[in-house]
Amino acid sequence: MKLKGFPIERAKRDLAKIQSKTDAEYDAYLNSRKKAIVEHHLMYNNFYKGLTKGIDTADWNALPVIKKSDLQIPLKDRLSDGFTTKNCHIHKTSGSSGTPLIFAKDKYTHAMSWANFMDRYNWYGINAATSKQARFYGIPLNCTDYYKERFKDVLGNRFRFSVFDLSEKQLEWNVKKFKSTAFEYINGYTSAIVQLAKFLKEKDIVLKDICPTLKLCIVTAEMLFDDDKVLLQKQLGVPVANEYGSAELSLIAFNNLDDEWLINTEDLFIEILDENGKPLQNGKEGRIVVTSLYNFAHPFIRYDLGDIGALQEASTPKKPLLKNVIGRTSDIAVLPSGRQAAGLTFYYITKTVIEDDGNVKEFIIEQHALDVFKIIYTSTAPLSESKIKAIENSIETYLEPSLVVNFERKKELKRTKGGKIRQFTSFVK
């Protein structure tokens, strides 16, 4: 990062200073940073000036909530004065939410993001720059980008495992690789690592027993359910940290050593808002809205991630804790009665029934009409009639009666181009 002009050492020093502030000082720190970032973009960013026209910008709660759809204009029209694609870090989101986005960070902001990652990994004795990583991420399949990512993996001291091939043969090969490589941590998509853990359970293997250098597993990009976390901790033999973030904003929350989902307040400000943009009390579920406190190149002020979640009731300005993330606002299921439910509710209810015998490997749920749902699954054998009936009864008990549930068994599930699984998708407009 130093060679590319990112001031990582300065960012580390600044991060330490911010973390040393007392609880009493922290609220003032956040308010001063919020004020500074708004004033900067009001003065130097024409795009943000347009968004806030006619608004009392001194009132934080009156500021507009920015959505991805607001940013679907050329990047050059969103950059602040003095910033170009040549002197910023340019990146894009995966588009897994359906709306890909190209965005920019100034070099200091990008350095602060990495300083945060390094700080959190260090809690578990992991050096983000030198520790050997077992990486479970997707990879572009076109030749140029494929070899570019592989080269970056070599430079980053990591080995990338396939998330597209989770066959028994491949999983056996993965285990052999762990036996012969001094990996210090695992990092990657939840679903792929859970499949590895299920394979380890079948073979009665604890991964740390065959890879004693292993210290930590970091799961990211997909939901981590409590029972999956228990499975991972048992079969991997190391702590499991749940990382929540986004490409635009980097690290948002990370499990600390007390297994609390600690929110990054050093360079971000997180709010939970209702559908009308009003702040909710701690413990209440709403839209997760984030402000980047240092990004002078591009305004991410009250930016709606598209996720639904809640803060722990005991959260404080210096130590806000994420209670849960229950899915994306675009993944809401509307039922015949008019009731709305987070799509992952279906997934979670079904999961409690469908995986208890070890037959089903993975599954997803699709909504095709108000009352019609499809469960697509991979398994060693078809679901029995009794199991199907139990799933139907569970959905009726926890949601509402007369829902039609169809089942389809496949050899493998459809993943995004990046290798992620969307547990729930609604095709109802």
Side-chain angles (χ1 to χ4, degrees):
M1 291 189 73
K2 292 179 186 177
L3 294 176
K4 292 183 178 180
F6 295 100
I8 187 65
E9 295 304 324
R10 175 190 161 198
K12 288 180 180 178
R13 291 192 299 270
D14 290 348
L15 183 67
K17 290 178 183 177
I18 296 167
Q19 291 173 337
S20 70
K21 294 182 183 296
T22 65
D23 289 353
E25 294 170 331
Y26 219 84
D27 200 30
Y29 161 73
L30 289 173
N31 285 331
S32 67
R33 288 309 318 161
K34 287 157 59 181
K35 181 180 179 181
I37 199 67
V38 170
E39 289 180 348
H40 170 86
H41 287 299
L42 287 174
M43 184 172 292
Y44 299 110
N45 191 285
N46 288 328
F47 166 72
Y48 193 66
K49 289 179 191 176
L51 287 180
T52 55
K53 189 174 182 179
I55 290 173
D56 179 8
T57 55
D59 180 358
W60 179 264
N61 290 323
L63 294 174
V65 174
I66 299 175
K67 298 181 180 180
K68 275 190 179 179
S69 57
D70 297 321
L71 305 178
Q72 297 302 309
I73 60 174
L75 177 59
K76 63 180 179 64
D77 296 331
R78 290 181 269 126
L79 292 177
S80 297
D81 295 346
F83 294 97
T84 70
T85 56
K86 302 296 184 182
N87 63 10
C88 292
H89 170 71
I90 307 299
H91 198 52
K92 65 179 178 180
T93 63
S94 65
S96 59
S97 65
T99 312
L101 171 69
I102 298 175
F103 62 91
K105 292 182 180 180
D106 62 72
K107 290 190 173 182
Y108 177 76
T109 298
H110 191 53
M112 277 292 283
S113 295
W114 273 104
N116 251 301
F117 278 112
M118 292 175 180
D119 178 66
R120 271 52 171 178
Y121 288 15
N122 191 54
W123 292 346
Y124 294 89
I126 299 298
N127 185 317
T130 62
S131 294
K132 185 72 173 179
Q133 178 190 147
R135 191 171 182 83
F136 287 81
Y137 274 74
I139 190 168
L141 299 180
N142 67 78
C143 188
T144 302
D145 289 340
Y146 176 86
Y147 286 107
K148 181 180 178 181
E149 287 301 312
R150 286 295 187 191
F151 181 63
K152 287 165 63 177
D153 287 341
V154 172
L155 294 179
N157 195 25
R158 61 201 187 207
F159 180 84
R160 190 179 303 238
F161 292 86
S162 174
V163 297
F164 299 106
D165 184 357
L166 298 173
S167 64
E168 184 162 335
K169 181 179 180 181
Q170 180 64 43
L171 292 172
E172 286 176 353
W173 187 92
N174 291 353
V175 171
K176 289 179 181 178
K177 185 67 177 177
F178 274 95
K179 283 183 179 180
S180 62
T181 309
F183 290 116
E184 291 189 51
Y185 70 113
I186 298 169
N187 190 331
Y189 299 160
T190 309
S191 60
I193 302 172
V194 167
Q195 291 312 300
L196 173 64
K198 289 180 178 179
F199 178 78
L200 292 168
K201 182 178 180 181
E202 289 175 3
K203 303 299 181 181
D204 195 24
I205 297 171
V206 174
L207 198 59
K208 188 169 175 63
D209 291 345
I210 63 172
C211 183
T213 52
L214 198 62
K215 299 176 183 177
L216 174 68
C217 172
I218 301 169
V219 295
T220 189
E222 298 170 336
M223 295 291 291
L224 175 64
F225 295 95
D226 290 342
D227 55 345
D228 284 338
K229 186 171 184 176
V230 171
L231 173 70
L232 290 173
Q233 289 173 328
K234 182 178 180 181
Q235 296 307 141
L236 302 182
V238 295
V240 174
N242 192 0
E243 178 184 289
Y244 174 54
S246 74
E248 309 95 298
L249 300 156
S250 296
L251 182 66
I252 297 173
F254 198 84
N255 278 140
N256 63 18
L257 295 176
D258 294 322
D259 202 25
E260 298 168 318
W261 217 356
L262 184 65
I263 288 175
N264 163 21
T265 58
E266 291 94 329
D267 62 335
L268 299 179
F269 176 68
I270 282 76
E271 301 173 86
I272 306 296
L273 305 182
D274 66 16
E275 58 186 14
N276 297 314
K278 303 299 182 184
L280 290 167
Q281 291 182 333
N282 291 348
K284 299 290 186 181
E285 292 174 349
R287 294 183 295 158
I288 299 176
V289 173
V290 186
T291 297
S292 178
L293 297 173
Y294 288 93
N295 193 347
F296 290 124
H298 186 291
F300 283 112
I301 298 173
R302 308 195 88 199
Y303 174 63
D304 189 339
L305 278 177
D307 290 341
I308 301 172
L311 298 180
Q312 291 277 11
E313 287 81 353
S315 294
T316 65
K318 185 174 183 179
K319 191 179 179 181
L321 300 172
L322 195 58
K323 184 176 184 177
N324 58 25
V325 178
I326 63 169
R328 304 197 67 82
T329 52
S330 58
D331 291 340
I332 296 295
V334 180
L335 305 180
S337 66
R339 176 183 174 184
Q340 294 188 1
L344 282 170
T345 305
F346 284 84
Y347 183 86
Y348 189 77
I349 291 169
T350 304
K351 183 179 174 68
T352 61
V353 179
I354 206 170
E355 291 189 333
D356 61 0
D357 60 1
N359 173 39
V360 174
K361 303 302 181 183
E362 293 183 296
F363 71 98
I364 58 176
I365 298 177
E366 297 178 346
Q367 183 179 19
H368 291 269
L370 286 178
D371 61 342
V372 179
F373 296 83
K374 179 187 284 187
I375 296 175
I376 304 170
Y377 68 97
T378 64
S379 64
T380 54
L383 284 170
S384 65
E385 288 300 321
S386 61
K387 183 69 69 175
I388 288 173
K389 187 63 177 175
I391 293 168
E392 292 172 340
N393 290 340
S394 178
I395 289 176
E396 180 173 332
T397 298
Y398 288 98
L399 291 166
E400 61 184 57
S402 302
L403 298 178
V404 177
V405 184
N406 299 314
F407 295 82
E408 182 179 354
R409 183 183 177 215
K410 288 190 173 183
K411 288 184 178 180
E412 60 183 35
L413 297 183
K414 181 180 179 182
R415 284 175 147 78
T416 67
K417 289 182 180 180
K420 299 178 188 177
I421 278 184
R422 291 190 68 179
Q423 284 101 350
F424 177 86
T425 302
S426 176
F427 296 103
V428 178
K429 301 297 183 182

